[in-house]
Amino acid sequence: MELQGKTVLVTGASSGIGKAIAVAFAQQRAHVLVHYGKNKAGAQDTLDVVKTISSGSLHQADLMNRDHVAALFADIKKTAQTIDVLVNNAGDSRPGDINDDEVWDYEYKNIFLSAVQVSRAFLALPSTCLRKIINITSLYGNLPTGEPHYLQYSAFKAALASFGTTLNKSAAPKVIVNAIAPGYTETPAWAGAPSDVIEACARATSIGRFVRPKEVAHAAVFIAENDALVGQVLTLDGGTSLVGMA
């Protein structure tokens, strides 16, 4: 897929990985739809950077709310006939064990159902051209490297990976779905974490540092451009899968 002139929706693009992905697609001269849930200032900053390179617009929605998702796509349709690439990046992590019913409910909606609802709306858009979905999962969602202290997050990231891979069986060749599973990545979510935790996570890689958001963004662009990549989960963890979890 040639990305110049294509329309790309990046959910959760206010900061971190989402922001980096939005900017990376703009660098390919795509039109970028910058979604945010609550962090409007961060999303506006992302859009400002996007507009120095290409074009884009700002869109707010609570993706856990089906009506908000419908309103989001209705808003997008006012200026864009279709969306060529969807990046399901929105969603945060909460710790929880098997008995935490509130966390089970939250993470199901936050990580899994939100992406399903957005993907469904994306698939309903008219298009005669090849389109792509890229799901941002997690190292924790890979079967050997789930995190027991983030049980729900791990489980629903795994479900998201499975959802995307299986969706290809009905959506391809018109829509191709892949995923990226980042490892420990330099994002605002780590702000305030104890230095010994940061150091331990960096040691649990082969590269001695966290993955950088722009490295995940480069992978997203690669996946969007490569039409032979179908139903894969690209693990981008700096070697943590080999070295062992922190």
Side-chain angles (χ1 to χ4, degrees):
M1 176 185 283
E2 169 60 49
L3 295 176
Q4 184 172 351
K6 296 296 193 295
T7 298
V8 180
L9 170 60
V10 183
T11 68
S14 294
S15 64
I17 291 172
K19 178 177 183 177
I21 290 174
V23 172
F25 276 101
Q27 289 170 337
Q28 302 302 311
R29 299 300 186 267
H31 177 74
V32 183
L33 308 175
V34 177
H35 161 266
Y36 71 99
K38 298 178 180 178
N39 185 2
K40 184 177 182 179
Q44 184 62 57
D45 182 65
T46 299
L47 181 61
D48 289 344
V49 176
V50 164
K51 284 189 170 182
T52 66
I53 311 164
S54 186
S55 61
S57 54
L58 203 62
H59 303 273
Q60 191 278 334
D62 175 2
L63 301 183
M64 294 191 291
N65 185 311
R66 184 175 298 179
D67 292 338
H68 282 217
V69 173
L72 168 67
F73 278 78
D75 185 44
I76 290 171
K77 287 177 186 178
K78 294 175 182 178
T79 56
Q81 291 184 337
T82 192
I83 300 170
D84 301 289
V85 180
L86 165 63
V87 182
N88 280 316
N89 170 72
D92 59 353
S93 61
R94 288 186 180 181
D97 63 27
I98 195 168
N99 296 312
D100 288 327
D101 288 340
E102 183 179 343
V103 180
W104 279 113
D105 183 63
Y106 175 79
E107 290 291 57
Y108 166 64
K109 295 175 181 176
N110 170 52
I111 297 297
F112 184 66
L113 187 60
S114 62
V116 171
Q117 292 181 154
V118 174
S119 297
R120 182 166 53 196
F122 170 82
L123 291 169
L125 293 173
S127 178
T128 58
C129 300
L130 171 65
R131 298 189 294 157
K132 303 286 183 77
I133 297 175
I134 303 171
N135 294 319
I136 306 302
T137 62
S138 170
L139 177 65
Y140 287 178
N142 293 355
L143 292 182
T145 48
E147 169 53 60
H149 296 102
Y150 287 82
L151 179 61
Q152 295 86 345
Y153 178 80
S154 300
F156 290 122
K157 283 293 190 180
L160 180 58
S162 178
F163 161 73
T165 298
T166 306
L167 184 58
N168 283 287
K169 296 181 179 181
S170 60
K174 293 183 178 180
V175 177
I176 293 174
V177 190
N178 289 286
I180 304 171
Y184 303 123
T185 306
E186 294 174 353
T187 67
W190 289 92
S195 59
D196 60 328
V197 172
I198 298 291
E199 291 166 4
C201 291
R203 287 194 302 270
T205 69
S206 300
I207 58 176
R209 63 169 175 82
F210 277 41
V211 176
R212 294 172 182 136
K214 68 178 181 180
E215 293 170 326
V216 182
H218 290 163
V221 168
F222 163 74
I223 290 172
E225 290 181 330
N226 193 321
D227 299 340
L229 195 66
V230 181
Q232 301 302 306
V233 178
L234 177 59
T235 299
L236 201 70
D237 67 353
T240 300
S241 299
L242 300 175
V243 175
M245 302 288 287

